[in-house]
Amino acid sequence: MKIVIPGGTGQVGTILSRALTAAGHDVVILTRRPVRDRDVGWNAKALGPWAKELDGSDVVINLAGRSVNCRYTPDNLQAMMDSRVDSARVVGEAVAAAVRPPRVWLQMSTATLYSHRFDAPNDEVTGVLGGNEPGVPDYWAYSVEIAKAWERAQEQAETPQTRKVSMRAAMVMSPDRGGVFDALLRLARLGLGGPVAGGAQYVSWIHDRDFVRAVEFLADRDDLAGPVNLAAPVPLPQRTFMRVLRAAWGVPVGLPATRWMAELGAFVLRSDTELLLKSRRVVPGRLLEAGFAFDYPRWPEAADDLVRRLRGGPGSTM
């Protein structure tokens, strides 16, 4: 198949392009800075020569959008909004203009869309969307608005010949340098991987190989459209999640951090505490209902595999 991945140079794009290329697919990356074979330049805002790559392709997987790994200043939040909405809009325009449009458009979204909650998991049917939770920072609501606008841009695209799926992804865990697993493991190895602000907030995650398999599953299943949660079926409280990660690496102790310590650390790292403190209790209702079987449904086995691959054990490549 020919698969076009706008915004495919980040961590998730690297995971997908590596696996899909290894599976024998023709993978084209749309990027602002093309440097490799099968990289094609685009600006993510307006139609251009890049649009011909979608004409005759089989699948488009749009991952474009400013990284959330930054301080949530008003300027950065606006950049997140604009980059996501603009890219989804222009991909929709390219699909609509194609003589032979792709049969499916998989659009990246985020589990951040759901409410900060501890009482029950969020699936696609019964899940509570965020934005009105009491006792959380006001700007968390804007993160939810970004996610809603991102999905709405895809929904509004006039693409009657192309099935559309919005992938509400949890944190994708891979051993690649610079990814979220790398950052969390670095904290654990430094002895800082303990509970943050009590650690009751849920962590939703998905193993990188299950993420790739879920994307392939969604591309193949003509009966699935609309929002789909891409998350392992067993989210964990942050304190348990980090305890399991420490055990996988062999670190006996993780120092706890208060909320103000997390704020200070996020400031130093130029990141934001929403990534640590929001309780994302998300489960993959539609994937499970459709018969998708996770290779790594539970965090202990997933963490062991990721650590083994990072250390270069058998089967360490995708």
Side-chain angles (χ1 to χ4, degrees):
M1 293 191 299
K2 180 179 180 182
I3 301 173
V4 182
I5 308 180
T9 58
Q11 182 214 5
V12 172
T14 298
I15 292 166
L16 278 176
S17 62
R18 182 172 60 210
L20 295 173
T21 299
H25 301 297
D26 176 19
V27 178
V28 175
I29 304 296
L30 302 186
T31 173
R32 296 175 187 273
R33 299 179 181 85
V35 295
R36 303 165 299 183
D37 291 343
R38 306 306 285 152
D39 282 0
V40 173
W42 80 324
N43 67 7
K45 293 182 179 179
L47 290 176
W50 60 266
K52 69 178 184 294
E53 297 293 342
L54 274 68
D55 201 332
S57 67
D58 298 287
V59 182
V60 58
I61 308 171
N62 183 27
L63 307 177
R66 192 202 193 288
S67 172
V68 299
N69 188 21
C70 64
R71 297 296 293 167
Y72 282 15
T73 64
D75 286 347
N76 284 342
L77 287 169
Q78 190 63 52
M80 290 181 208
M81 174 73 84
D82 294 343
S83 62
R84 283 158 174 72
V85 172
D86 287 346
S87 65
R89 173 186 52 78
V90 77
V91 166
E93 291 174 0
V95 172
V99 175
R100 293 176 299 158
R103 57 181 176 78
V104 59
W105 168 10
L106 305 179
Q107 172 65 47
M108 194 64 166
S109 183
T110 174
T112 296
L113 183 73
Y114 291 107
S115 176
H116 169 77
R117 65 189 301 198
F118 303 87
D119 58 331
N122 290 303
D123 64 19
E124 300 90 340
V125 177
T126 65
V128 178
L129 300 187
N132 298 307
E133 305 97 316
V136 303
D138 291 341
Y139 71 88
W140 285 18
Y142 193 70
S143 293
V144 174
E145 291 306 311
I146 292 172
K148 290 178 179 178
W150 205 5
E151 293 191 2
R152 190 161 54 245
Q154 185 196 35
E155 292 168 5
Q156 293 175 345
E158 296 292 337
T159 58
Q161 299 180 65
T162 300
R163 178 170 55 92
K164 296 185 287 190
V165 178
S166 180
M167 303 186 298
R168 294 176 177 173
M171 293 188 291
V172 181
M173 299 291 170
S174 85
D176 297 279
R177 183 176 295 276
V180 63
F181 179 78
D182 182 48
L184 294 174
L185 184 59
R186 185 165 61 250
L187 290 175
R189 293 169 67 181
L190 291 171
L192 303 175
V196 175
Q201 65 274 24
Y202 276 81
V203 177
S204 287
W205 58 278
I206 185 168
H207 188 282
D208 61 340
R209 290 175 175 168
D210 278 333
F211 178 80
V212 171
R213 293 178 56 248
V215 167
E216 294 173 325
F217 185 85
L218 292 173
D220 291 340
R221 285 289 297 260
D222 291 337
D223 57 329
L224 289 173
V228 177
N229 292 345
L230 269 62
V234 188
L236 297 171
Q238 184 267 342
R239 57 176 172 258
T240 306
F241 183 91
M242 292 304 297
R243 183 173 66 245
V244 170
L245 179 56
R246 295 197 312 270
W249 190 263
V251 178
V253 176
L255 296 177
T258 63
R259 182 180 291 266
W260 74 263
M261 291 168 67
E263 292 280 0
L264 179 60
F267 178 80
V268 171
L269 296 172
R270 308 304 300 160
S271 186
D272 199 273
T273 54
E274 185 195 36
L275 303 174
L276 289 173
L277 298 179
K278 183 168 183 177
S279 185
R280 296 172 173 84
R281 193 175 180 185
V282 178
V283 293
R286 295 192 69 197
L287 278 178
L288 293 175
E289 182 181 343
F292 182 79
F294 285 82
D295 285 343
Y296 296 94
R298 297 183 180 276
W299 181 232
E301 293 79 9
D304 286 343
D305 175 76
L306 293 166
V307 164
R308 176 183 53 78
R309 287 163 59 196
L310 185 62
R311 286 173 162 162
S316 59
T317 59
M318 286 292 291

